[in-house]
Amino acid sequence: MSGEPMVRAEAVHKSFGRTEVLKGIDITVAPGEVCCVVGPSGSGKSTFLRCVNHLEKINAGRLWVDGELVGYRQRGDKLYELREKEVAAQRREIGMVFQRFNLFPHMTALENVIEAPVQVRRENRAEARERALALLERVGLADKTGHYPGQLSGGQQQRVAIARALAMRPKLMLFDEPTSALDPELVGEVLDAMKALAEDGMTMIVVTHEMGFAREVGDSLVFMDDGVVVETGPPREVLAGPRHERTKAFLSKVL
């Protein structure tokens, strides 16, 4: 893994009113890397993820995706906010999968996956359909293409959501606790779909409570607490021998 990082965050700050949620985050993710972000609730993990694709505007610092400043253009020492249209163009390159599946309930699995490439990328419908079928097969849902979200289990809905994000041909995938809303027996099928993505070389930032996934699939582990990065390193090393007391205390509760 060499050259330009896929994601680079430098001294990223984010506040909601008077509450400072991110207090100077520095994270670098190389192309093809799976970065797992762990930490207690309220530590700023999901907020950081939302800043990466400018769903939240940062208050200070810099964020780059694939060498491009997210949400801003720099001229000299000054930053100028991009227009909504330019932000939308950046966002198209970044797939995001949320805790909740957010599928269109009135559309079948196949229609859910076809929608954005046709409407946003103006792709030919027949070609978009062909790719959507391939993507649903890739996440193990070739037999569910005509089913509506209400006819699918939570795990199946989440896998449709992954296929839908992939349909936009993103260079980066963000996962915000993608299994936390699922029944325990459905978690594995979603993690398997994500594992296959990682094996295909997709760059991923995964906010997760699944330590087994982090250990097995992650290339790097970031432990966040109270809006700061406390510890980073190879997942197996951090999980087996955390250096910081705060990391030790957290892991003792979740492992």
Side-chain angles (χ1 to χ4, degrees):
M1 295 181 191
S2 62
E4 189 78 46
M6 180 59 79
V7 179
R8 184 152 59 100
E10 277 184 8
V12 169
H13 288 256
K14 172 66 186 173
S15 298
F16 295 103
R18 291 185 175 179
T19 308
E20 198 179 13
V21 180
L22 300 178
K23 303 171 182 176
I25 299 291
D26 295 306
I27 289 177
T28 303
V29 183
E33 181 179 329
V34 178
C35 172
C36 293
V37 184
V38 303
S41 293
S43 56
K45 309 181 301 289
S46 295
T47 299
F48 173 70
L49 218 54
R50 293 171 68 84
C51 290
V52 173
N53 68 353
H54 209 57
L55 285 174
E56 300 290 355
K57 294 177 187 175
I58 65 177
N59 300 117
R62 300 269 197 286
L63 252 174
W64 291 265
V65 171
D66 202 16
E68 238 182 83
L69 262 181
V70 174
Y72 298 91
R73 178 183 296 107
Q74 187 161 351
R75 287 203 198 106
D77 296 339
K78 279 200 148 174
L79 284 185
Y80 298 89
E81 201 161 336
L82 295 180
R83 294 195 297 274
E84 192 49 49
K85 196 176 169 185
E86 296 169 298
V87 171
Q90 285 188 335
R91 214 175 269 147
R92 285 204 291 270
E93 306 290 322
I94 304 170
M96 185 148 185
V97 178
F98 300 88
Q99 293 179 23
R100 297 278 162 202
F101 326 120
N102 302 332
L103 298 176
F104 298 116
H106 62 289
M107 292 183 178
T108 63
L110 185 63
E111 289 164 347
N112 262 287
V113 179
I114 290 172
E115 183 71 5
V118 170
Q119 298 299 335
V120 180
R121 283 205 184 271
R122 301 281 180 249
E123 284 184 18
N124 170 299
R125 182 166 280 276
E127 285 171 20
R129 185 176 188 278
E130 205 168 303
R131 277 198 75 238
L133 287 168
L135 287 168
L136 286 167
E137 185 173 347
R138 186 173 168 188
V139 296
L141 293 173
D143 58 337
K144 303 290 186 202
T145 56
H147 287 54
Y148 289 90
Q151 300 170 304
L152 300 171
S153 72
Q156 289 167 338
Q157 289 185 58
Q158 192 61 297
R159 285 184 284 153
V160 173
I162 292 173
R164 181 179 63 176
L166 292 174
M168 290 294 282
R169 306 175 197 267
K171 50 190 168 192
L172 169 67
M173 284 284 284
L174 308 176
F175 292 89
D176 188 7
E177 299 191 15
T179 57
S180 65
L182 299 177
D183 293 333
E185 68 268 23
L186 302 177
V187 167
E189 62 192 51
V190 174
L191 294 180
D192 284 345
M194 292 167 63
K195 204 180 297 179
L197 264 189
E199 284 162 6
D200 289 346
M202 175 62 78
T203 311
M204 295 155 60
I205 302 179
V206 184
V207 169
T208 185
H209 292 300
E210 302 291 338
M211 298 300 158
F213 176 85
R215 184 188 290 113
E216 197 183 328
V217 183
D219 297 300
S220 60
L221 185 81
V222 174
F223 171 63
M224 281 178 67
D225 186 35
D226 196 26
V228 298
V229 172
V230 176
E231 187 162 349
T232 61
R236 286 168 194 270
E237 283 179 26
V238 176
L239 294 173
R243 294 190 305 275
H244 293 262
E245 288 307 320
R246 187 65 199 87
T247 320
K248 284 177 193 167
F250 173 75
L251 292 176
S252 71
K253 292 193 184 80
V254 298
L255 287 179

